[in-house]
Amino acid sequence: MNPSLDNALEQALALAANEPAHRPAFFSLLLESTVYVLGDAGDGWIAGAARHDEEQPVNLQHWEKPDGTTAIPFFTSLAALQQTVSQAQPFLALPARTLFAMTAGAELFLNPRLPYGKAFGPDEISALMMNEGDALTERLILEGEMRITLSSPAEQPAQMIASLSRLFAEIKRVRRAFIVQVQDSAQEKPHWLIGLDCEGEDEATIQAVGRVATDTAPDGEPVDICLVGQEEPGISHYFIRHITPFYERKWGSWLRATHGPGAH
């Protein structure tokens, strides 16, 4: 087995690097994982000892990046750490949440010098901790009346649609998904609006969709998300009546399982 892919977090990192649809699962798993960081905790420290608090000071290594800035390296496993250093060095095993809390304001890099890695800037870490794994999206509620223009784009965002469709196939709660461009009077350029027809309001689903959409939007364009209801007026009515969904949940496998041998 490849020692850099020998645990669930490393496998999730590799999947997330290759397909944005897997990134929400990776961030959620990261927050619940123990990671490894080069450094020590001063007097009384035991090599490789686990730490679960962020109050006591620790001495962590900073590695220089090609642009001259520095980042704190951390690793998904001890095997991954050992691949990147040429000689034995002290290290700590820390819950990822503890590491993020004690290094607030610093840049970190997961698995540097390995085939799959991820840079974490201070703002991304802060959002990740505050939003429980949703590093890039935030909810904005608009009050009052706003005149907006909705249009079906001639050129669809292919990567976004492909990655979201793959995500929906795993989530199962999404029945249909639509995409349009939306522009209000305060904006010079339109942005993307994704409409979700879901089984109930699921915050985790909305966050996962926001994460993947943000990662795959063309040229980093902003993306909004709204819930679509069959009997709802306004935007929901426009989606249902005028826009063909780019994703629609298929029921074939469920029906075959229900009506297969032994079913009544």
Side-chain angles (χ1 to χ4, degrees), residues 70 79 214:
T70 63
T214 302

Side-chain angles (χ1 to χ4, degrees), residues 3-15:
S4 68
L5 295 174
D6 65 356
N7 68 19
L9 183 59
E10 283 156 0
Q11 294 167 18
L13 174 61
L15 290 172

Side-chain angles (χ1 to χ4, degrees), residues 153-257:
E155 185 175 348
Q156 299 282 342
Q159 178 63 64
M160 186 195 299
I161 287 174
S163 293
L164 286 174
S165 296
R166 186 164 185 170
L167 176 68
F168 298 149
E170 298 175 359
I171 289 179
K172 307 298 184 185
R173 293 179 63 89
V174 177
R175 289 186 288 250
R176 290 178 295 179
F178 309 81
I179 188 166
V180 296
Q181 286 189 309
V182 58
Q183 186 169 14
D184 62 50
S185 55
Q187 294 176 312
E188 294 183 4
K189 296 177 60 177
H191 63 275
W192 301 103
L193 175 64
I194 297 171
L196 300 177
D197 177 11
C198 299
E199 295 178 354
E201 292 193 27
D202 185 343
E203 184 66 24
T205 296
I206 294 172
Q207 288 187 355
V209 172
R211 171 80 216 194
V212 173
T214 302
D215 275 357
T216 55
D219 300 321
E221 296 169 355
V223 182
D224 287 338
I225 299 170
C226 70
L227 295 177
V228 173
Q230 185 69 36
E231 304 300 328
E232 296 294 327
I235 291 179
S236 287
H237 177 84
Y238 178 83
F239 276 121
I240 297 296
R241 294 297 182 90
H242 300 288
I243 301 297
T244 301
F246 70 83
Y247 170 84
E248 192 158 7
R249 186 172 62 191
K250 294 180 173 60
W251 294 96
S253 59
W254 185 86
L255 291 171
R256 285 194 296 272

Side-chain angles (χ1 to χ4, degrees), residues 99-110:
L99 176 63
F100 289 158
M102 68 171 49
T103 58
E107 182 170 347
L108 281 71
F109 203 110
L110 179 64

